[in-house]
Amino acid sequence: MSVKYSNEHEWIRVEGDVGTVGISQYAQEQLGDVVFVDVPQAGRKIAKGESVAVVESVKAASDIYTPAGGEVIEGNAALGDAPGDINADPMGKGWIFKVKLGNPADLDGLMDQAAYDDFVKSLS
């Protein structure tokens, strides 16, 4: 099970034809304390690169762009009561939504961990 990253700092972990999407450790650090998350509803059709969620922190609101298109099968409702899970566990309990992949080729061009780490270093 590999994790891929977009240059917008979203990650996607793919298992079969389902991708779980969240924001990276770097992104949550840049945002600061997350106070609200608007997750997409199941059944919503989404296209790669589309804004599908919003994360609000004490610093700013930030759109979340999907790294792959398809159909949302679940939004992480637990974030409604515990938005800080994005800060505490961005790659675990802080996931934002799950998508049934429409086109596996959407994953082409996303970065692996090493490439993403290099990308983040280049931002400093």
Side-chain angles (χ1 to χ4, degrees):
M1 169 179 22
S2 67
V3 176
K4 298 285 188 176
Y5 296 86
S6 73
N7 60 4
E8 298 289 336
H9 306 288
E10 289 86 11
W11 57 264
I12 185 167
R13 182 183 305 116
V14 177
E15 297 177 65
D17 63 350
V18 173
T20 301
V21 178
I23 64 171
S24 70
Q25 179 74 28
Y26 174 83
Q28 71 82 20
E29 288 169 359
Q30 297 303 303
L31 282 169
D33 293 338
V34 174
V35 295
F36 176 78
V37 184
D38 180 21
V39 300
Q41 297 298 309
R44 177 175 168 188
K45 304 277 193 235
I46 56 176
K48 180 177 180 168
E50 181 180 342
S51 172
V52 297
V54 176
V55 173
E56 293 181 15
S57 72
V58 294
K59 293 182 182 179
S62 182
D63 286 336
I64 305 303
Y65 301 94
T66 184
E71 181 178 338
V72 174
I73 57 172
E74 184 181 0
N76 187 353
L79 294 176
D81 292 328
D85 283 351
I86 288 181
N87 297 113
D89 191 11
M91 303 280 300
K93 290 192 311 184
W95 63 274
I96 297 171
F97 67 95
K98 294 184 180 184
V99 58
K100 182 171 176 45
L101 300 175
N103 182 0
D106 281 355
L107 302 173
D108 296 346
L110 296 177
M111 295 173 269
D112 63 13
Q113 185 71 56
Y116 180 72
D117 290 345
D118 289 343
F119 173 67
V120 169
K121 286 179 193 164
S122 76
L123 301 175
S124 306

